[in-house]
Amino acid sequence: EIVLTQSPGTLSLSPGERATLSCRASQSVSRSYLAWYQQKPGQPPRLLIYDVSSRATGVPDRFSGSGSATDFTLTISGLEAEDFAVYYCQQYGSAPITFGQGTRLDIK
Amino acid sequence: EVQLVESGGGLVKPGGSLRLSCAASGFTFSSCSMTWVRQAPGKGLEWISSISGNSNSIYYADSMKGRFTISRDNAKNSLYLQMNSLRAEDTAIYYCTRRGITVPTYDYWGQGTLVTVSS
């Protein structure tokens, strides 16, 4: 099973700043099958990024994904109020599908 | 508009059973693999089980194998999860998700249904 470790656990930033979230895999993620989700309280997760760097439909271009093999990054440039949430990475290249433990992005 | 609506959650005693349902609309249900994912209170996401569009391929997380059974009825555009021998640690919100047609992961999620296992 591929274990995904996200860091930091909590990130406190101000609106307008740049957020950099990390996801490290215990082994190489097959076929770049790495996604990022955003979850707000009381809501289901929302797909932001798939295949490492492809934005899902309707996702603003301030969200971008990068990385390869075992190290991946979600970058949010110019934080807006609605971006403060919990973010999860997910690998779907190897069974079982696994998620990271999440990074909470808080308003500073 | 794609919609996934879960139902069937509730309070159940340890050792009990529950059947969750997910009603799908707004897309060709039989063309999509479907998955159940759960989230314990205040915790992260856990993949439970997936089923292909024609039900020929079914996968389970090891911790759920033998207790949970996924199924679907394409004529009714519905996905199911039969949960037996429930434990306190199965307490969670259970989400129904769709593997996208052009996106190789979960592009739509239901709002979830809460399952509480407690005596």
Side-chain angles (χ1 to χ4, degrees), chain A residues 66-107:
Chain A
S66 63
S68 64
T70 60
D71 286 286
F72 302 92
T73 300
L74 174 70
T75 301
I76 312 170
S77 56
L79 283 166
E80 300 195 5
E82 63 263 28
D83 298 337
F84 293 92
V86 178
Y87 292 83
Y88 295 95
C89 59
Q90 174 216 21
Q91 69 80 22
Y92 46 98
S94 303
I97 289 167
T98 51
F99 294 88
Q101 84 281 13
T103 289
R104 179 179 304 278
L105 180 54
D106 283 343
I107 298 178

Side-chain angles (χ1 to χ4, degrees), chain B residues 2 7 11 19 25 41 63 69 73 75 78 81 89 93 104 109:
Chain B
V2 173
S7 60
L11 176 63
R19 189 194 196 208
S25 61
S63 58
T69 303
D73 185 336
S78 292
L81 185 68
E89 53 266 35
I93 296 173
W109 297 61

